[in-house]
């Protein structure tokens, strides 16, 4: 993969967005002819082009994917110049492994499974996935206003996924296309293995961080990445358990006591660890970015409690097996943290970020320091609950020290 890392984008953001909107408008007209679909503004995000669409007053969301790559990668030139992207996109939209097509199929399956409850599909056409809006706040929004409820909120999310993590989920995925493009390990490998990794690192944070801070952050992330590449052996082989794949607090809505999930990326894993790691890791990042120190501590303590309880209840194997699963969660958590922080730091100025992603950039110095220090603990000899205690002691110390 070749990435441009200068301040300018290799692909014009207005061209990319206009082409996305044109594809969405054509798909909406094809699905609902004469019903006057109205496209809203682009929803901030780094992965796919998403916008609101009103059809006869009904609120829908449209998602359009480019070449199985993130918007950041496309804009930075990972898939070539604009002419190359356009030429490759036409057959990609018609292919069976189109990401939005697979997501549509995953949503249809999960609707049949019934748990977890997912957003309703409204249609699929021309590579565009349409889903119906979900009522209520996200779990991320709930964590921000009631951080003292972090543990029960996380418990409820994982409880909703037990059906997917069981035999029915595995039976479905044996006959379906997983979305490995969203796999934490695969994303990490694409970013940080190979000759392009050094150039990628060199451009992180340009235009978003002050140069002195940027150099420190890049150095710390580089140390963390080198250690994490050595720790890939801690990730057990896949092909056993179906996992939600892109599980984060922003993708779960809470209406009363009912949870509704969006944006699935079902994929194989050895167990539920990728879901646990992504959910808990993204929750920790919400804590780092909270404006109140007390809330940050409550969220961190809630994650520790939820993680400890989760593994005491679901890991029925011997102590060694439990310790290996816990280490895997921590490695995946750190990989995902480095993935999302580096994506936000490499996002060109023309790409709108969510408020949470903007906060990650502001707190990059703390997050990078945590990644460096925790990665050092993971290559050490500590294991099990001793490792858990050491990691979160370091998280709290580093975050407080640099706040």
């Amino acid at each position: 993969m070749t990435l441009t890392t200068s301040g300018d984008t290799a692909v014009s953001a207005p061209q990319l967005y206009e082409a996305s909107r044109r594809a969405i408008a054509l798909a909406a007209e094809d699905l609902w002819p004469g019903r006057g679909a109205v496209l809203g503004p682009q929803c901030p995000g780094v992965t796919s082009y998403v916008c609101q669409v009103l059809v006869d007053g009904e609120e829908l969301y449209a998602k359009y994917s480019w070449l199985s790559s993130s918007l950041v990668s496309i804009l930075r030139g990972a898939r070539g110049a604009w002419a190359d992207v356009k030429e490759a996109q036409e057959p990609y939209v018609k292919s069976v492994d189109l990401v939005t097509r697979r997501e549509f199929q995953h949503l249809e399956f999960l609707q049949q499974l019934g748990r977890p409850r997912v957003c309703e599909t409204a249609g699929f056409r021309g590579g565009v996935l349409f889903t119906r809006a979900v009522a209520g706040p996200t779990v991320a929004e709930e964590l921000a206003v009631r951080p003292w409820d972090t543990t029960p909120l996380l418990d409820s999310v994982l409880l909703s996924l037990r059906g997917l993590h069981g035999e029915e989920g595995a039976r479905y995925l044996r006959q379906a296309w997983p979305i490995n493009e969203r796999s934490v390990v695969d994303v990490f490998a694409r970013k940080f293995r190979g000759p392009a990794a050094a150039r990628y690192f060199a451009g992180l944070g340009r235009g978003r961080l002050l140069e002195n801070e940027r150099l420190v952050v890049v150095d710390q992330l580089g140390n963390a990445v080198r250690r994490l590449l050595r720790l890939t052996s801690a990730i057990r082989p896949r092909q056993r358990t179906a996992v939600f794949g892109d599980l984060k607090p922003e993708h779960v809505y809470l209406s009363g006591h009912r949870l509704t999930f969006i944006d699935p990326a079902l994929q194989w894993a050895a167990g539920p660890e990728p879901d646990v790691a992504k959910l808990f890791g993204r929750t920790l990042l919400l804590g780092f970015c909270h404006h109140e120190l007390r809330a940050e501590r409550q969220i961190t303590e809630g994650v520790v409690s939820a993680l400890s309880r989760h593994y005491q209840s679901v890991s029925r194997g011997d102590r060694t097996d439990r310790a290996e699963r816990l280490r895997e969660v921590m490695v995946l958590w750190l990989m995902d943290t480095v993935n999302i922080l580096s994506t936000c730091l490499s996002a060109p100025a023309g790409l709108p970020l969510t408020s949470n992603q903007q906060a990650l950039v502001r707190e990059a110095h703390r997050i990078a320091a945590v990644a460096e220090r925790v990665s050092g603990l993971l290559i050490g000899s500590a294991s099990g609950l001793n490792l858990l205690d050491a990691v979160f002691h370091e998280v709290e110390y580093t975050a407080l020290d640099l706040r």
Side-chain angles (χ1 to χ4, degrees):
M1 178 176 71
T2 302
L3 286 170
T4 61
T5 53
S6 67
D8 298 324
T9 59
V11 172
S12 163
Q15 280 185 317
L16 182 68
Y17 303 157
E18 178 57 33
S20 302
R21 295 180 72 80
R22 186 162 55 249
I24 292 169
L26 289 171
E29 178 60 28
D30 198 21
L31 283 170
W32 303 287
R35 293 175 63 180
V38 178
L39 274 61
Q42 178 183 0
C43 298
V46 297
T47 305
S48 302
Y49 188 93
V50 179
C51 70
Q52 185 186 72
V53 181
L54 291 179
V55 179
D56 286 345
E58 181 182 11
E59 183 181 353
L60 307 177
Y61 282 89
K63 176 186 286 190
Y64 189 70
S65 172
W66 287 88
L67 302 178
S68 297
S69 298
S70 70
L71 294 178
V72 173
S73 294
I74 295 292
L75 292 172
R76 288 297 191 192
R79 304 305 294 265
W82 177 232
D84 302 316
V85 173
K86 285 196 300 180
E87 182 179 358
Q89 181 71 0
E90 184 175 351
Y92 172 68
V93 166
K94 299 174 182 176
S95 66
V96 294
D97 65 339
L98 176 66
V99 166
T100 48
R101 187 189 308 278
R102 283 177 278 160
E103 186 176 336
F104 174 72
Q105 294 167 345
H106 293 177
L107 285 169
E108 293 280 289
F109 161 69
L110 291 170
Q111 287 166 12
Q112 296 173 11
L113 184 64
R115 190 178 177 106
R117 177 186 175 89
V118 294
C119 61
E120 295 181 8
T121 56
F124 179 84
R125 192 65 54 89
V128 182
L129 170 62
F130 294 92
T131 56
R132 291 188 165 84
V134 179
T138 66
V139 168
E141 291 167 334
E142 287 295 293
L143 287 165
V145 297
R146 49 187 182 105
W148 54 86
D149 278 339
T150 296
T151 297
L153 283 168
L154 297 178
D155 286 346
S156 65
V157 172
L158 292 180
L159 181 63
S160 297
L161 292 172
R162 285 190 176 177
L164 173 62
H165 292 159
E167 181 54 38
E168 288 185 86
R171 188 182 303 119
Y172 165 75
L173 207 52
R174 291 188 195 107
Q175 306 170 23
W177 292 73
I179 303 181
N180 291 324
E181 292 88 341
R182 304 290 183 264
S183 158
V184 169
V185 177
D186 289 0
V187 171
F188 190 83
R190 287 199 303 271
K191 283 174 174 281
F192 303 116
R193 286 193 186 277
R199 294 194 300 274
Y200 180 63
F201 264 116
L204 288 180
R206 283 200 178 135
R208 292 190 176 272
L209 301 177
L210 296 175
E211 186 62 10
N212 288 343
E213 179 186 5
R214 190 187 76 82
L215 292 174
V216 172
V217 166
V218 167
D219 183 61
Q220 291 171 327
L221 289 179
N223 291 335
V225 165
R226 282 188 288 274
R227 291 165 182 160
L228 288 169
L229 287 171
R230 292 165 52 190
L231 288 165
T232 52
S233 60
I235 311 301
R236 295 171 298 151
R238 305 173 187 177
Q239 303 297 323
R240 180 178 175 182
T241 301
V243 294
F244 193 83
D246 204 7
L247 184 66
K248 46 195 178 187
E250 296 91 333
H251 286 175
V252 187
Y253 284 76
L254 184 61
S255 180
H257 295 291
R258 188 169 63 183
L259 297 178
T260 304
F261 293 65
I262 66 169
D263 292 352
L266 304 190
Q267 57 198 245
W268 284 112
E273 284 70 32
D275 280 347
V276 176
K278 196 155 196 175
L279 174 66
F280 287 20
R282 295 299 179 98
T283 299
L284 281 173
L285 290 179
L286 292 174
F288 290 155
C289 297
H290 202 288
H291 63 280
E292 293 183 4
L293 175 59
R294 181 181 180 187
E296 179 179 330
R297 284 175 167 166
Q298 289 172 323
I299 290 173
T300 301
E301 291 168 0
V303 169
V304 175
S305 175
L307 183 56
S308 178
R309 288 168 52 180
H310 176 72
Y311 274 90
Q312 289 173 2
S313 65
V314 304
S315 185
R316 302 295 185 185
D318 59 28
R319 184 176 298 179
T320 300
D321 176 66
R322 183 176 298 183
E324 289 175 352
R325 287 170 177 258
L326 198 53
R327 181 178 293 276
E328 181 175 341
V329 167
M330 294 185 189
V331 172
L332 288 168
W333 152 51
L334 217 55
M335 283 183 172
D336 181 61
T337 296
V338 174
N339 284 346
I340 184 58
L341 179 58
S342 61
T343 294
C344 293
L345 290 176
S346 64
L351 179 64
L353 301 180
T354 67
S355 58
N356 289 336
Q357 290 162 353
Q358 293 172 23
L360 290 183
V361 173
R362 291 195 300 271
E363 297 296 333
H365 66 295
R366 290 205 299 153
I367 297 168
V370 167
E372 181 185 41
R373 296 184 189 183
V374 171
S375 66
L377 292 173
L378 293 180
I379 62 174
S381 59
S383 64
L385 293 180
N386 288 334
L387 177 61
L388 179 67
D389 290 343
V391 164
F392 281 96
H393 174 77
E394 191 65 67
V395 168
E396 291 181 322
Y397 173 81
T398 304
L400 178 62
D401 188 46
L402 298 177
R403 190 177 175 94

